[in-house]
Amino acid sequence: MSYIKKSYNLPKWVVLDTSNKTITLNLNAFRTKGVQYRATKIDMSGAGKFEFKVLIPKK
């Protein structure tokens, strides 16, 4: 994680905390043009599993 944090220019809404070994996605700060997203599954047990649904508007 330290390598990624130092080597890549991540968006402001992505926060890598190397001391706690966590990645935080601040989706409220993620700006899109009409794209909507929501979590459909959040499983914090074991390895943790997250599923998201993304809705892309028609033009």
Side-chain angles (χ1 to χ4, degrees), residues 30-43:
F30 179 65
R31 299 287 177 232
T32 61
K33 294 182 180 182
V35 176
Q36 298 177 13
Y37 45 87
R38 68 180 67 136
T40 56
K41 182 176 185 178
I42 300 174
D43 180 4

Side-chain angles (χ1 to χ4, degrees), residues 10-11 18 37 54:
L10 298 172
T18 56
Y37 45 87
V54 179

Side-chain angles (χ1 to χ4, degrees), residues 14-34:
V14 176
V15 179
L16 294 179
D17 183 346
T18 56
S19 62
N20 289 319
K21 298 179 183 177
T22 60
I23 301 171
T24 302
L25 304 177
N26 184 2
L27 297 179
N28 291 329
F30 179 65
R31 299 287 177 232
T32 61
K33 294 182 180 182

